[in-house]
Amino acid sequence: AYFVQGYVTAKDRLWQMDISTRSSAGRLSEILGNRTFEIDKRARRMGMLKAAEDVADFWSKEKESRAKIDAYINGVNSYIESLTPDQYPIEFKLLDYKPEKWSILKCAQFYKSMERSLNSREYDLEHSNLVKAFGLETFNYLFPNRNAKESPIIPKGVEFSKKEKTPSIIDSLQSFGFLNEVENYEKFEKEPDFIGSNNWVVDGSKTASGNPILCNDPHLILNLPAVWYELQLHTPTFNCYGVSFPGVPGIIIGFNENIAWGTTNGGHDVKDWYRIKWADENHNSYLLDGNIVEVEKRVEEIKIKGQPTFYDTVKYTQWGPIYSESDNSPYKDLALRWISNEVANDFVWKTFWGFNEAKNHNDFIRATNFYGHPNQNFVFASKGGDIALKVSGKIPIKGENQGKFIQDGSSMKNDWKGFVPQSDMPQALNPKQGFLSSANQAPTDDTYPYNYTGVFNHYRGRIINRKLDSMSNISPKDMMVLLMNNESILAEEFLPQLIKYLDNNQLNALQLGFLKILEDWDFSFEKDGIAPLLFEAWRQKFRTLTWDEMLSVDEKSPVILPSDWRAIELLDKDPFNEFFDRKATPEKEGPKEIVTAAFLEITEELKDKLEDKDYTWTDFRSSDINHLARLPGFSRTDIEAGGYKEAINALQGVAGPSWRMVVEMGDEVEAWGVFPGGQSGEPASKFYDNAINSWCEGDFYELYFMKNSEDQRKPILFKQEFK
């Protein structure tokens, strides 16, 4: 089965498989030239190629798992070997290179490409710079750890087996070693914050049929060829349907005859920066607990099309690689401790292979125990009626607030103290409320006995839980509608505060008309709406005017702005704090002046466009699904669809729901799905982007789950024999 999966995936997605592994391995410049050199250098200095080599070596030593991966690899290579140069996918011809044989290293490189997307969020440097500029007290005021309105993944009231809190285990703040300001600093491109997902499951007490229903829509950067490859795997021992990643064996999100499962990304901070204290002028050794330790050097060979090869020596420390020693880099002399660079005794694909064959909740939990990273929230439903959710992955045990700032790399006191044991991982089974959900929010309330920090969403989880709590007699159609819901609690809570402080006396007739549109709005980001673009423009301008003090710091070294939920709190509870004042003006302003100035500016900027009645939310937001090589003729631009980053239908810019799935676990499993693309990676194929219009409109197609090869309940559209 895995051999055939490898073969047919390569047949449809060979170039996509190649380019995704080149990206994580730092090998794009071999085919794209100097324009991707900085991307390649960054990947190598983060340790991604070395990490892929290490994990491939680990996988190679496990006999059963190696056999499954080898079968997939052999399938891919069987297809590659069948090709003549004139049969190569068109991108190979346009870029003038040929496909390489697949290998276990390439599987590992694909794994690392997903880890970089899902496992990279941290703001250590940005937070440290803010403390330096404004002090720790102000930082804590603007960046509290928890939102009082949050609705955690694991329902409040669930008790954890461990009771006592993990004590603080790090040195004092003085040891964090804030960086000096860097003029004309080199930008360090971070992974986008909007990567996320929704999943939820309801039990039979809330459905019309009495059967559990499970839903999932992972939010990723949307590309062509599509992120996912849809398939059914059927063997004498299991029958499974869902979507896979082109590059690795098994089904990642899906269902079989007994269970369904889905996943969302965890937001835990598993990437910390440590400042190194060098022990010699040539930076070949560093101090650690009073001892001198030699760095390990690794020479990275970066080939560049049309130019000489670049050799980059990366130094490795106890914590990980030194990212830069350049005076122009704000990350100078910082070592990166990133869980993705560590090979743990886990095998992530065993988790998904276990899901593929699972029959019940025990099988599901057993499969999650193999999982390492990136952190994920796995949701579950069974034909037997159980629903469950487990937060999975290696969560570092840290002291309170550890990892929020740059840490002192000369003391092992600042190391992680292991990982949360499986027995204490947040999880829930058959809760009284009759449903479970995750949408990248904090996994637990503050009764959880382990400290953790991270980047968590505050709005999608709340609206999902609000909707599910109020629903009954739920049908699969109801769940499809909910997946397309465009309402936003952010707008619901932010807009009234903005309107409260707006000085209407300064508005002309046109601006009063714009205000009326906002006052009548239902907080739903529909594609043809005017209110959504007015709100979003106002929100963005308000942030710029409010946090201008921090934006001026960003000219010298990177910072991050406070979250919207904190701004809403301040408008409501502390409207006369020092930050509601424009630094560029001599007057002392308050929220009324800031809010009004923001509204006047955006309505002036937008009035010409809004006189054109065809200018709507979808024009303002502008969503594209680009070809992976950014070839315009192979892309779909100006996607017309509703949605918002803080709505359940989280479409924004170049990211959004990459696969929508609804599964009802009755005696006969029924399922529906859609993704923004098609099965084929060939731009000339009618199956290249055929599902995008359905995806935009919220239409789903039935996932025809064949019982066996002779199942004639539905027509077979295409059939190919493999010998």
Side-chain angles (χ1 to χ4, degrees), residues 196-365:
S197 304
N198 305 316
N199 66 23
W200 63 82
V201 61
V202 294
D203 69 21
S205 68
K206 294 185 72 69
T207 65
S209 65
N211 301 320
I213 300 177
L214 181 145
C215 303
N216 195 189
D217 65 320
H219 307 152
L220 298 168
I221 294 176
L222 305 180
N223 289 307
L224 288 170
V227 174
W228 300 101
Y229 187 74
E230 187 178 345
L231 77 157
Q232 180 175 348
L233 293 174
H234 187 190
T235 79
T237 58
F238 74 94
N239 190 9
C240 184
Y241 194 115
V243 287
S244 64
F245 283 133
V248 291
I251 288 175
I252 306 301
I253 296 171
F255 57 93
N256 61 33
E257 295 160 320
N258 300 293
I259 77 157
W261 74 94
T263 184
T264 68
N265 198 37
H268 298 85
D269 180 5
V270 292
K271 186 178 181 183
D272 290 350
W273 294 92
Y274 290 82
R275 189 170 191 180
I276 296 300
K277 295 182 179 178
W278 296 110
D280 67 293
E281 293 182 358
N282 295 321
H283 296 182
N284 291 321
S285 59
Y286 60 100
L287 296 176
L288 187 64
D289 288 341
N291 301 312
I292 295 177
V293 181
E294 296 290 321
V295 298
E296 295 181 14
K297 296 182 180 179
R298 174 183 165 99
V299 177
E300 297 286 356
E301 181 183 5
I302 303 176
K303 297 179 181 178
I304 308 169
K305 186 176 182 179
Q307 293 188 27
T309 297
F310 180 84
Y311 296 93
D312 194 21
T313 300
V314 180
K315 299 174 181 177
Y316 280 78
T317 69
Q318 160 72 26
W319 311 106
I322 300 290
Y323 182 75
S324 177
E325 294 179 65
S326 168
D327 289 337
N328 291 327
S329 174
Y331 288 84
K332 180 185 178 184
D333 299 338
L334 294 188
L336 174 62
R337 173 133 199 223
W338 186 21
I339 200 170
S340 299
N341 286 342
E342 301 182 15
V343 179
N345 291 323
D346 56 63
F347 204 128
V348 294
W349 309 121
K350 279 187 175 181
T351 294
F352 300 107
W353 299 339
F355 291 167
N356 292 181
E357 302 186 41
K359 294 180 172 58
N360 51 46
H361 180 254
N362 287 338
D363 291 346
F364 168 76
I365 292 297

Side-chain angles (χ1 to χ4, degrees), residues 484-498:
M484 295 300 298
N485 187 280
N486 294 325
E487 299 169 48
S488 172
I489 290 179
L490 170 62
E492 177 188 310
E493 294 180 345
F494 211 153
L495 182 60
Q497 291 294 333
L498 295 175

Side-chain angles (χ1 to χ4, degrees), residues 154-167:
I154 304 304
K156 294 180 179 180
V158 171
E159 294 189 0
F160 305 103
S161 57
K162 184 177 183 294
K163 303 301 182 184
E164 68 278 8
K165 264 289 191 188
T166 305

Side-chain angles (χ1 to χ4, degrees), residues 703-714:
L703 306 182
Y704 174 31
F705 188 36
M706 296 177 67
K707 296 181 178 181
N708 52 56
S709 60
E710 306 303 319
D711 191 340
Q712 299 293 322
R713 290 173 298 149
K714 302 284 183 180

